[in-house]
Amino acid sequence: MPHIVLATKHQKSRWIAPYLEPLGYQIRESDAFDTDSLGTFSGEIARTCSPEQAALTKAKQACEYSNAAFGLGSEGSFGGGPYFGLVNFNTELLCLYQRDTNTAIYGHAAGPFSPISLPIEHHTTAQTIAEKLAKFEQQHWILTLPHTLEKGLSLDELLARFTYHLPSSGKITPDLRAMHSPERQTMIANAAKDLARRLTSFCLQCKAANFVIKKAIAGLICSQCSLPTKQVKHHLIACDHCQHSCVVPSNNALADPTYCQICNP
Ligand SMILES: [Zn+2]
Ligand SMILES: [Zn+2]
């Protein structure tokens, strides 16, 4: 049974293993490589490489430190997304690296992230905090005060800091480390599901995994004027190994004129 070593300091395998173990992989966690050295959410260490590079580096280091055939690296990022500025957005990447072939397959998931940050002002009380944050169940928090910073606080622990003494400035932010953030845990599980899908999609020619949609091709014909639109017409499924590819039509036969640059400029 192939062993995968997961580089993590934050016990992530419990959200990943349920999707990879049914495929015959055994996951083992390793904290031998300090994954925080590639950047932390609380900002003590800035990430200087792309999420893909960070996940790949973690996966390669996991192989190297534990002499395993497969390494798994996980990287989350926040911000961007289709509703930029309106809601926060969480993207999770999982990189499975195979040492003997020097190849990597990435699982991916992204979606809105709802826990909010709160500024602390002179009228902030335990009650006002509870009213705003209680709905984010099991999310843990970071309390930043002028001279202290505490991480991983449960809501009860956070509220206890406001029982006897009310700080008049500072901020409360979600602790984004996986073990402290249920919404991130769901997103990591979704990325693992995507990775499992890729690991079980095989090239028709060479049988390599990750034979999935790699590209969307625009040009769906407008139902009103019959000209091509920017809507997706085809998807390209391609093999990373032998370059075999095939084109599959999108679910729609024609584009809605609402999305046509001629009919609805
Ligand atoms: Zn192939
Ligand atoms: Zn049109």
Side-chain angles (χ1 to χ4, degrees), residues 43-63:
E44 289 109 327
I45 303 166
R47 193 179 63 199
T48 51
C49 57
S50 71
E52 287 78 9
Q53 282 171 321
L56 179 63
T57 304
K58 289 175 184 178
K60 283 184 172 176
Q61 298 280 9
C63 279

Side-chain angles (χ1 to χ4, degrees), residues 203 205-206 239 241-242 244:
C203 174
Q205 209 135 82
C206 77
C239 175
H241 188 65
C242 75
H244 173 64

Side-chain angles (χ1 to χ4, degrees), residues 126-198:
Q127 199 193 337
T128 57
I129 295 168
E131 277 166 13
K132 293 199 167 109
L133 303 185
K135 62 182 164 188
F136 307 116
E137 278 179 49
Q138 306 301 319
Q139 172 66 51
H140 284 53
W141 305 93
I142 297 176
L143 175 63
T144 310
L145 297 176
H147 302 293
T148 59
L149 185 146
E150 285 186 282
K151 297 199 257 184
L153 299 173
S154 68
L155 184 60
D156 286 343
E157 289 166 335
L158 176 67
L159 297 179
R161 303 295 187 274
F162 290 77
T163 309
Y164 300 109
H165 163 72
L166 292 181
S168 59
S169 69
K171 64 180 176 181
I172 299 165
T173 48
D175 191 326
L176 301 173
R177 289 173 294 167
M179 72 290 203
H180 289 316
S181 183
E183 287 198 15
R184 245 201 103 195
Q185 292 161 16
T186 303
M187 207 61 81
I188 291 170
N190 288 342
K193 205 171 166 180
D194 182 50
L195 182 60
R197 177 182 70 90
R198 292 167 182 272

Side-chain angles (χ1 to χ4, degrees), residues 14-145:
R14 64 183 122 147
W15 305 295
I16 299 168
Y19 295 96
L20 299 189
E21 283 181 354
L23 307 183
Y25 293 99
Q26 283 274 314
I27 299 193
R28 188 157 56 80
E29 290 189 353
S30 168
D31 60 3
F33 170 61
D34 183 8
T35 50
D36 282 353
S37 66
L38 291 170
T40 60
F41 289 120
S42 40
E44 289 109 327
I45 303 166
R47 193 179 63 199
T48 51
C49 57
S50 71
E52 287 78 9
Q53 282 171 321
L56 179 63
T57 304
K58 289 175 184 178
K60 283 184 172 176
Q61 298 280 9
C63 279
E64 204 163 296
Y65 277 77
S66 47
N67 203 26
F70 292 91
L72 188 61
S74 156
E75 184 70 12
S77 46
F78 288 82
Y83 321 106
F84 186 69
L86 291 176
V87 291
N88 205 350
F89 209 75
N90 174 208
T91 302
E92 293 295 335
L93 271 183
L94 288 174
C95 173
L96 181 66
Y97 175 73
Q98 187 173 0
R99 197 169 56 170
D100 63 354
T101 56
N102 190 29
T103 54
I105 295 178
Y106 292 85
H108 170 270
F113 181 80
S114 55
I116 53 168
S117 297
L118 277 188
I120 297 167
E121 289 151 340
H122 56 269
H123 55 267
T124 303
T125 63
Q127 199 193 337
T128 57
I129 295 168
E131 277 166 13
K132 293 199 167 109
L133 303 185
K135 62 182 164 188
F136 307 116
E137 278 179 49
Q138 306 301 319
Q139 172 66 51
H140 284 53
W141 305 93
I142 297 176
L143 175 63
T144 310
L145 297 176

Side-chain angles (χ1 to χ4, degrees), residues 222-234:
C222 172
S223 64
Q224 194 165 300
C225 71
S226 302
L227 288 170
T229 67
K230 287 183 177 167
Q231 295 289 101
V232 174
K233 186 181 185 190
H234 291 122

